[in-house]
Amino acid sequence: MRKEAFVTKAQIEEIVRTYPTPFHIYDEKGIRANAKALREAFAWNPGYKEFFAVKATPNPFLIEILRDYGCGTDCSSMTELMLSHAMGLPGEDIMFSSNDTPAEEFAYAAEIGATINLDDMTHIDFLEKTLGYLPETISCRYNPGGCFSLGTDIMDHPGDAKYGFTTEQMFEGYRILKDRGVKHFGIHAFLASNTVSNEYYPVLARQLFELAVKLREETGADIRFINLSGGIGVPYRPDQTPNDIHLIGEGVRKVYEEVLVPAGMGDVAIYTELGRFMMAPYGHLVTRVIHEKHIYKEYLGVDACAVNLMRPAMYGAYHHITVLGKEEQPCDHMYDVVGSLCENNDKFAIDRMLPKVEIGDYLAIHDTGAHGFAMGYNYNGKLKSAELLLKEDGRVQLIRRAETERDYFATFDGFAIYDKLFDNE
């Protein structure tokens, strides 16, 4: 599969007249088409809802686009809850899936009516002590342990993850919650990350549906929803085949009708909490080549760094790179594409074959729409870049300005350095 940028060199040359590189830019047309496809894929389930994983791309302008397709939000922190509430989302459209959770975050989630997804058995007592009561609806996160595999391929190792209730704890936890007045229940699980397989959701769904039937039979719990969480990935590499969301939705439907419907649970709602699938392919980090270095290897120095996209440095993750304006030229030169941090892992690509690159060329780094800007930081005093939205009509909207030096120094309360730097402005 050929990976093509959704912006051209001519578009970027026009954009940089107003917004200098580096910046993240998002494709509204692609986001809308994908959200529509997801909604259609699960339309067979009347209660279906996607709770967008805010941590992937915490920008209200983008979340508003998803709301047009009925999406809620999945939050993991106080500020994500605050963002969702400030945007006007009703409590039933907010899922709070956190871990190692401070009491004040549980209290705020309950105050705004969010559905709380408990991560641990001990959180039952902690939540009740914090609130003085337990909400009528509670979800519990399930961790079956061991390895999660599709066929002979091990996808991930839930047994090594810090999240969730064990199987035994799910039954005990439901009994305790029911005895303490909880009336409605949900089940949640996230067993593998970034799967490029149409089988992941159906296989996960079977595990959760079968668990739901047993939980209802043995505890009498009223299970209202089953949350398949995230895990549907995107093809970061050109040789990967994208997931087919319609095929995935149909696979879940078949398992639903095989397991839940015969058990008299054909009214259970299906939820998802996708982040990467919803946004990653529809974001580029656009950066300009500012240096070349010729030593033991050939290096391209760009004006972005791991502050703008840390996945390659943190995980060794692959992100495809398009040299804008040179899409038809042969990729016959090998480069390391690097940023300016004082860390040798600040590399967007290692031994990457690209066309002949020159200083001033613009690079579009693909699939940064999720876990790109969101994972940014300020090491070396670097400042986070702007976020732009390429509208369906071709206009460009600034949806988050770039950080400034003022932003960086503003948190030094009570120290004179801020005034010394900026009192003459």
Side-chain angles (χ1 to χ4, degrees):
M1 181 186 75
R2 176 172 174 171
K3 293 181 77 73
E4 297 182 352
F6 57 77
V7 288
T8 65
K9 180 181 179 182
Q11 285 176 301
I12 294 302
E13 288 176 334
E14 180 64 28
I15 291 169
V16 298
R17 294 180 182 181
T18 305
Y19 307 111
T21 54
F23 52 75
H24 287 271
I25 187 166
Y26 305 94
D27 176 24
E28 181 181 11
K29 182 178 180 181
I31 293 169
R32 287 188 178 278
N34 190 53
K36 180 175 180 288
L38 175 67
R39 183 176 64 178
E40 291 172 349
F42 286 90
W44 54 267
N45 181 257
Y48 172 74
K49 181 173 283 291
E50 156 64 9
F51 291 83
F52 173 67
V54 176
K55 59 181 166 286
T57 321
N59 191 298
F61 291 89
L62 302 178
I63 295 170
E64 281 288 359
I65 294 173
L66 298 181
R67 289 189 70 191
D68 288 345
Y69 300 88
C71 298
T73 59
D74 168 55
C75 302
S76 58
S77 69
M78 176 69 86
T79 51
E80 291 178 1
L81 287 168
M82 292 171 67
L83 173 63
S84 299
H85 184 57
M87 289 180 64
L89 273 77
E92 60 266 24
D93 283 358
I94 304 172
M95 186 72 60
F96 185 43
S97 299
S98 60
N99 70 96
D100 193 20
T101 309
E104 57 268 23
E105 297 190 8
F106 274 141
Y108 185 73
E111 178 186 334
I112 65 175
T115 300
I116 293 174
N117 184 32
L118 291 179
D119 181 65
D120 185 66
M121 271 285 293
T122 64
H123 291 180
I124 297 173
D125 289 341
F126 186 82
L127 180 63
E128 188 170 34
K129 181 179 179 181
T130 297
L131 302 180
Y133 66 95
L134 288 173
E136 285 193 356
T137 299
I138 288 282
S139 178
C140 295
R141 183 168 183 168
Y142 175 53
N143 183 337
C147 297
F148 182 83
S149 61
L150 296 177
T152 59
D153 295 330
I154 294 176
M155 309 301 290
D156 218 325
H157 296 80
D160 293 334
K162 66 176 181 176
Y163 309 108
F165 290 57
T166 67
T167 303
E168 294 76 14
Q169 288 173 343
M170 287 291 286
F171 287 86
E172 182 183 357
Y174 269 47
R175 291 189 182 99
I176 292 171
L177 289 165
K178 191 169 181 290
D179 287 345
R180 297 186 187 180
V182 174
K183 297 179 179 179
H184 312 298
F185 292 83
I187 302 173
H188 172 286
F190 179 85
L191 302 188
S193 179
N194 193 35
T195 61
V196 187
S197 166
N198 295 325
E199 296 303 312
Y200 170 61
Y201 257 13
V203 171
L204 171 64
R206 184 175 295 278
Q207 285 195 22
L208 297 186
F209 295 170
E210 290 175 350
L211 174 66
V213 172
K214 292 178 182 177
L215 281 167
R216 194 188 67 161
E217 290 175 349
E218 296 188 22
T219 70
D222 175 31
I223 298 173
R224 290 292 180 90
F225 65 85
I226 295 174
N227 192 335
L228 302 178
S229 188
I232 297 179
V234 299
Y236 286 99
R237 295 179 178 272
D239 59 354
Q240 292 179 303
T241 301
N243 285 312
D244 183 333
I245 194 62
H246 291 284
L247 192 60
I248 290 170
E250 178 63 12
V252 175
R253 183 191 65 79
K254 289 180 179 178
V255 179
Y256 189 97
E257 293 183 354
E258 289 175 12
V259 179
L260 291 181
V261 172
M265 299 177 68
D267 58 348
V268 172
I270 300 299
Y271 294 165
T272 57
E273 291 174 355
L274 297 166
R276 191 190 317 264
F277 178 80
M278 300 302 293
M279 287 288 182
Y282 313 109
H284 293 333
L285 172 60
V286 178
T287 182
R288 186 170 64 91
V289 178
I290 59 174
H291 289 291
E292 294 178 336
K293 187 168 185 175
H294 318 285
I295 50 173
Y296 305 106
K297 303 181 76 172
E298 292 295 306
Y299 292 93
L300 299 175
V302 298
D303 59 4
C305 63
V307 162
N308 309 107
L309 177 65
M310 73 182 299
R311 294 187 73 254
M314 186 174 186
Y315 304 120
Y318 178 95
H319 282 264
H320 197 66
I321 296 175
T322 294
V323 183
L324 296 175
K326 297 184 176 180
E327 290 87 346
E328 303 305 322
Q329 294 185 19
C331 295
D332 53 5
H333 287 67
M334 182 182 289
Y335 300 102
D336 281 15
V337 181
V338 305
S340 59
L341 291 186
C342 299
E343 297 291 340
N344 197 45
N345 68 348
D346 183 18
K347 299 177 179 179
F348 295 111
I350 298 173
D351 295 336
R352 185 70 59 86
M353 298 303 296
L354 297 172
K356 171 63 177 172
V357 178
E358 299 169 290
I359 291 176
D361 280 346
Y362 293 103
L363 309 183
I365 303 178
H366 289 245
D367 302 313
T368 68
H371 312 292
F373 179 94
M375 295 178 75
Y377 54 107
N378 290 115
Y379 182 55
N380 279 184
K382 296 292 185 178
L383 305 175
K384 296 179 185 177
S385 59
E387 291 183 291
L388 309 177
L389 179 63
L390 179 64
K391 304 285 285 183
E392 289 185 289
D393 61 8
R395 292 180 297 116
V396 171
Q397 179 184 4
L398 178 68
I399 58 174
R400 191 194 303 260
R401 67 165 174 82
E403 287 184 337
T404 67
E405 289 81 0
R406 276 184 174 272
D407 297 320
Y408 183 80
F409 289 107
T411 52
F412 291 115
D413 273 355
F415 194 68
I417 188 171
Y418 185 86
D419 292 335
K420 288 180 180 179
L421 286 169
F422 302 111
D423 61 1
N424 293 323
E425 292 186 8

